Amino acid sequence: MPNGEVKNEPGSDSTAVASNPQQSGQVEEQHRTAASQLVQEPAGPGPSSSAAARDRTYITPGAYSQREEALIKREQDGDIAFRYVLNNDDPQNLIYLVGLKNIFSKQLPNMPKEYIVRLVFDRRHRSVALLKRNGTVIGGITYRAFHEQAFGEIAFCAVTSHEQVKGYGTRLMNQTKEFARTVDRLTHFLTYADNNAVGYFEKQGFTREITLERERWQGYIKDYDGGTLMECVMHPRISYTALPDLIRTQRLALDDRIREVSNSHVVRPGLRHFQEEDARLAAATAAAAAAGGKGSAAGAAQAGDAAAGGTEAAAAPTADTDPALRRRMLDIGSIPGVREAGWSPDMVQQGPRVRLLLDEAGAGPAVEAGPEALHSFLRLLLEHVKGLEDSWPFRERVAVQDAPDYYDIIKDPMALDVMEERLACRGYYATLDIFTADLRRVFDNCRLYNAPDTIYYKLANKLEAQVNTFMAHRVLYEEDSGGGGGQAGAGR
Ligand code: COA
């Protein structure tokens, strides 16, 4: 409702009443009865209590629902209440209407006060008053219900200044829609909004597009200078006071459909392997030290008979000599969810398993590199790749502005700078396999995104060949993934 001048007011002339006065009178009477019954009720239609959907608490409400739910709770606690008010000579209703008139007069200062009084107390107008626990009116909406045309025209809407921006305006509009839908049987609201109010009305579901047939409203509602005519359609099956339940039900329905095609909601137990291995290794190491008789005093004590008998204790076994002291690999297939995600044991058989074995220029048997040697080697390899002339397209992540659709196509991006960060973390590249998988991904992504005749595609092939050559001279790989470091050959 604009803070402006009223051009004409058809509501006061005969066009506003039904063509059949007798029928019109009956309709008015029905609505008056229904309304006066509601006026006796402690509050408006209120929130739905049949919220079976609430049982499924895994759907968290959005900001809108949270605010509405908080106000619903306040309604249930009796802190606030909404009243459907008519000028039906009920003294309490008259008190509410005076309160509303005062708020509208203050919040809509450009609106002639006499005009506000006239409409608020007009018996054809309905109001929804927002009350505090002590009965003070802190906001409200007044609308004229055109029952024959099944639409209402919102004349005034305001919340007292110190109570604004707390969600009351939204809840008030939802309550008003519910009263209008259920008591007045209206299907549409129309209003002329001034520039300041258009934003508020848009957030309440009003649009500038008027779908109501022109003949149903033209000539019935007041015309305003500078106002924007806006419309809100009220769906007959939507309970506007229980919107959080509705939204939750919709989110659940959506979630159910997503669950049909995705397992992302399944949370599997975490891995115990590493903790268990730590405990097992600690126990095994302690036992070995004890058996060797050279560890702690406790170890010496546990060494038992050998030490007591005066014989010299044997050297304690180490990870090199005793397989029980080596950390056991985690079987991938035992990780919860891995098989369900499509993994199968044959997948690990693809291609030779690459492990870094130090060859020391053929001076002795190749041994698997420890973490330090692996890290140094990977640093050397990465520096080498970055230093190659052909590596320039792969050194940094692809920028969206350079290739806007890149991340739509490449779902698992990789670049040398990312690998550098991972390498700096230490521990990320625990094996050469993990590192080479990232490196291959750089090339595979490039060949997936670019056509074979592009410079990028060709550079990916060229760089990969150079990497392979570098690896072939320094890395030995095992032919058989199940082996313990025996069969080794030149890397790819
Ligand atoms: N323009 C744009 N958006 C507005 C707005 C305005 N004038 N007034 C409120 N909003 C927004 C709020 O920021 C809020 O947005 P969010 O849902 O994204 O958080 C939303 O509308 C509703 O806010 P809410 O707290 O529920 O409303 P409120 O209690 O502040 O009441 C009015 C809103 C318009 C009733 C209140 O500001 C008022 O009384 N204004 C003076 C009278 C007036 O202009 N009435 C309208 C014409 S009759």
Side-chain angles (χ1 to χ4, degrees):
M1 175 85 192
N3 261 343
E5 198 182 322
V6 185
K7 259 171 59 182
N8 68 40
E9 193 188 338
S12 59
D13 66 34
S14 59
T15 57
V17 293
S19 49
N20 178 343
Q22 196 185 351
Q23 190 188 19
S24 161
Q26 285 167 355
V27 172
E28 283 282 323
E29 188 49 43
Q30 277 170 12
H31 289 293
R32 240 194 307 278
T33 311
S36 60
Q37 281 165 359
L38 252 170
V39 171
Q40 306 308 320
E41 291 177 11
S48 154
S49 56
S50 64
R54 284 182 203 280
D55 298 343
R56 297 168 70 177
T57 49
Y58 59 85
I59 296 289
T60 49
Y64 180 92
S65 288
Q66 275 178 12
R67 204 169 58 177
E68 280 282 288
E69 280 177 354
L71 290 182
I72 289 170
K73 172 85 174 46
R74 295 196 56 204
E75 283 171 63
Q76 288 164 344
D77 293 347
D79 287 342
I80 55 169
F82 293 89
R83 292 283 187 278
Y84 181 93
V85 190
L86 293 169
N87 183 357
N88 59 355
D89 297 329
D90 178 330
Q92 183 58 63
N93 281 352
L94 288 173
I95 292 171
Y96 292 149
L97 292 176
V98 169
L100 283 172
K101 181 265 297 176
N102 289 341
I103 289 175
F104 294 149
S105 303
K106 199 157 183 189
Q107 295 301 320
L108 302 165
N110 296 334
M111 193 67 74
K113 290 196 174 25
E114 305 72 32
Y115 177 67
I116 293 176
V117 173
R118 187 149 51 84
L119 262 58
V120 168
F121 287 92
D122 185 311
R123 288 175 187 266
R124 292 164 305 188
H125 280 70
R126 281 89 179 90
S127 293
V128 177
L130 165 58
L131 312 176
K132 276 272 171 113
R133 186 186 277 274
N134 61 9
T136 318
V137 180
I138 59 165
I141 291 178
T142 293
Y143 63 94
R144 165 98 187 255
F146 293 92
H147 291 113
E148 291 295 312
Q149 287 78 18
F151 81 90
E153 181 199 6
I154 292 184
F156 313 117
C157 163
V159 169
T160 196
S161 46
H162 62 277
E163 300 285 6
Q164 290 178 6
V165 204
K166 294 180 181 173
Y168 287 137
T170 303
R171 188 79 191 141
L172 184 59
M173 184 61 80
N174 284 335
Q175 287 277 3
T176 306
K177 286 180 191 172
E178 191 66 2
F179 280 120
R181 184 183 75 87
T182 56
V183 180
D184 292 313
R185 307 280 173 216
L186 306 184
T187 58
H188 293 68
F189 263 141
L190 293 178
T191 193
Y192 270 102
D194 70 13
N195 284 343
N196 287 334
V198 165
Y200 163 76
F201 280 110
E202 275 177 342
K203 290 193 171 179
Q204 308 311 318
F206 286 69
T207 61
R208 293 160 205 258
E209 188 194 353
I210 311 299
T211 59
L212 189 65
E213 302 87 343
R214 188 169 279 271
E215 51 275 19
R216 261 174 79 183
W217 59 268
Q218 199 166 41
Y220 288 87
I221 68 170
K222 295 165 275 294
D223 246 353
Y224 290 91
D225 271 344
T228 304
L229 184 61
M230 300 185 79
E231 176 196 86
C232 178
V233 181
M234 286 169 285
H235 196 281
R237 286 170 54 201
I238 290 181
S239 169
Y240 289 91
T241 47
L243 285 182
D245 285 343
L246 180 79
I247 294 168
R248 189 188 297 264
T249 308
Q250 287 176 331
R251 292 174 84 148
L252 282 167
L254 194 60
D255 191 64
D256 285 346
R257 295 302 303 271
I258 292 171
R259 282 163 186 248
E260 286 171 16
V261 294
S262 157
N263 278 334
S264 59
H265 59 282
V266 179
V267 179
R268 300 183 194 278
L271 297 180
R272 299 174 52 84
H273 172 84
F274 302 101
Q275 272 179 333
E276 286 170 358
E277 272 299 280
D278 283 349
R280 187 189 64 77
L281 278 175
T285 308
K294 289 194 174 172
S296 62
Q302 286 172 28
D305 297 343
T311 54
E312 198 174 317
T318 65
D320 287 337
T321 59
D322 185 354
L325 296 181
R326 291 182 208 144
R327 188 172 285 279
R328 286 192 297 228
M329 297 280 282
L330 171 65
D331 172 22
I332 295 177
S334 72
I335 298 174
V338 164
R339 287 174 193 272
E340 291 84 344
W343 181 89
S344 71
D346 2 318
M347 286 179 168
V348 289
Q349 307 298 340
Q350 293 165 359
R353 192 174 114 93
V354 181
R355 289 166 71 201
L356 179 61
L357 300 176
L358 292 181
D359 193 17
E360 298 297 343
V367 291
E368 186 167 0
E372 276 310 311
L374 176 65
H375 184 78
S376 307
F377 175 77
L378 296 182
R379 177 176 297 282
L380 180 77
L381 173 54
L382 194 55
E383 287 305 316
H384 173 74
V385 175
K386 278 171 58 191
L388 290 171
E389 202 182 328
D390 296 329
S391 69
W392 62 267
F394 311 108
R395 286 180 199 142
E396 289 172 10
R397 300 161 171 88
V398 173
V400 180
Q401 55 267 39
D402 294 340
D405 62 344
Y406 186 81
Y407 293 96
D408 295 332
I409 295 166
I410 302 301
K411 295 297 178 197
D412 208 357
M414 184 49 58
L416 298 180
D417 61 347
V418 177
M419 294 183 66
E420 204 160 21
E421 285 163 19
R422 290 183 169 182
L423 188 59
C425 288
R426 296 244 168 191
Y428 184 90
Y429 290 127
T431 68
L432 183 59
D433 283 337
I434 302 173
F435 183 90
T436 50
D438 274 359
L439 198 51
R440 306 268 165 230
R441 195 140 49 85
V442 173
F443 307 132
D444 289 344
N445 285 346
C446 177
R447 286 184 289 245
L448 179 62
Y449 183 76
N450 298 287
D453 57 349
T454 60
I455 174 84
Y456 298 107
Y457 194 102
K458 289 173 186 164
L459 282 176
N461 283 345
K462 204 169 159 193
L463 192 66
E464 190 175 35
Q466 290 172 297
V467 169
N468 286 344
T469 307
F470 181 91
M471 300 273 275
H473 287 108
R474 288 166 183 81
V475 180
L476 300 176
Y477 70 88
E478 291 173 300
E479 300 281 6
D480 177 4
S481 62
Q487 292 284 320
R492 40 181 179 164

